[in-house]
Amino acid sequence: MTPIQLAIAGVGKIVYDQHAPAIAGNADFKLVATASRNHGIEGVTAYKSMAEMLASGTAIEAISLCMPPQYRYEAAREALGAGKHVFLEKPPGATLSEVESLKHLA
């Protein structure tokens, strides 16, 4: 099986400590890009924004949103609008109405 081409949006301490090692240890996923204003992961193509990453043409099937809840809604809308699968941390949104809206978009 070909691994899922995965991107991470929002690179910080939890990504370094938890997400990146878990992805590296799972043959079902290949980390192909990150979108973060200030950080990246060594050996992975880094973009400064989701829009830049999505416009790059990088083959991305799914995006893991690793950012505070108040930023996830717009990022999830952008990723879903680009036809990507989206992984959301908990809580999945800042409000229940955001979560309902994303549910309908997905």
Side-chain angles (χ1 to χ4, degrees):
M1 182 172 102
T2 304
I4 295 169
Q5 306 296 294
L6 180 65
I8 291 177
V11 178
K13 182 170 177 21
I14 293 172
V15 167
Y16 291 125
D17 292 349
Q18 301 292 324
H19 295 273
I23 293 165
N26 187 332
D28 292 334
F29 296 96
K30 179 179 179 188
L31 186 58
V32 296
T34 63
S36 183
R37 289 179 299 173
N38 300 308
H39 302 287
I41 296 174
E42 189 173 332
V44 177
T45 304
Y47 299 96
K48 293 291 183 186
S49 69
M50 283 265 298
E52 180 185 4
M53 182 175 70
L54 291 169
S56 73
T58 301
I60 297 167
E61 296 174 79
I63 301 174
S64 181
L65 301 180
C66 302
M67 57 191 56
Q70 63 266 31
Y71 304 110
R72 284 190 206 132
Y73 178 72
E74 286 304 322
R77 284 183 57 86
E78 190 174 3
L80 289 168
K84 308 304 178 191
H85 297 282
V86 176
F87 296 106
L88 294 167
E89 293 185 338
K90 59 183 179 187
T95 66
L96 290 175
S97 62
E98 285 183 358
V99 176
E100 280 299 313
S101 173
L102 292 175
K103 182 172 115 178
H104 292 289
L105 282 173

